[in-house]
Amino acid sequence: MRVLVVDDEFLIRWSIAETLGAAGHEVTEAPDAASALAALEETPDPDVVLLDFRLPDSNDLGVLAKIRRLAPASAVVMMTAFGTPEVTAGALQLGACKVLSKPFNMHDLEDIVRTHGPRPPGLQ
């Protein structure tokens, strides 16, 4: 499965990439919204996008809306340490399949990626 991890905190990105890479996923990393959008233009429609809510160049749901337009087939999981009911509702309304509160368990994240990734033909 192809996963794009978008988070400005290096250690979080690294931890996620290491965990998902060890589980056999192909992981691309982006430290900010601009890098994430550029990655999507180069390699469209990853299976899953793990998107941090607050990035150095985006601290609202605008980047989520852009990702949904650029990668409509991708499942987007919003990650945030600043979750509010408004953020969660807005993210889900814009097409995020899940909002994950930080800190989170890496094994739970593996399950979320597996659950929201592509399904084999016939199981969709």
Side-chain angles (χ1 to χ4, degrees), residues 60-83:
D60 61 20
L61 295 171
V63 71
L64 172 58
K66 290 176 185 173
I67 288 171
R68 297 305 309 140
R69 282 193 302 276
L70 284 172
S74 300
V76 180
V77 176
M78 180 72 69
M79 305 179 297
T80 183
F82 305 97

Side-chain angles (χ1 to χ4, degrees), residues 9-23:
E9 293 185 47
F10 171 78
L11 288 178
I12 291 174
R13 257 191 353 265
W14 177 84
S15 296
I16 293 171
E18 286 293 308
T19 299
L20 296 179

Side-chain angles (χ1 to χ4, degrees), residues 80-104:
T80 183
F82 305 97
T84 64
E86 294 80 16
V87 168
T88 298
L92 295 173
Q93 195 170 46
L94 285 171
C97 60
K98 183 159 187 65
V99 178
L100 187 60
S101 295
K102 290 180 178 180
F104 47 81

Side-chain angles (χ1 to χ4, degrees), residues 117-124:
R119 302 208 186 325
L123 294 179
Q124 297 185 12

Side-chain angles (χ1 to χ4, degrees), residues 27-84:
V27 181
T28 302
E29 299 177 49
D32 53 38
S35 299
L37 297 174
L40 288 172
E41 288 180 6
E42 289 178 27
T43 309
D45 291 324
D47 299 306
V48 178
V49 177
L50 301 174
L51 175 64
D52 188 24
F53 174 65
R54 289 204 177 168
L55 297 166
D57 55 350
S58 173
N59 63 358
D60 61 20
L61 295 171
V63 71
L64 172 58
K66 290 176 185 173
I67 288 171
R68 297 305 309 140
R69 282 193 302 276
L70 284 172
S74 300
V76 180
V77 176
M78 180 72 69
M79 305 179 297
T80 183
F82 305 97
T84 64

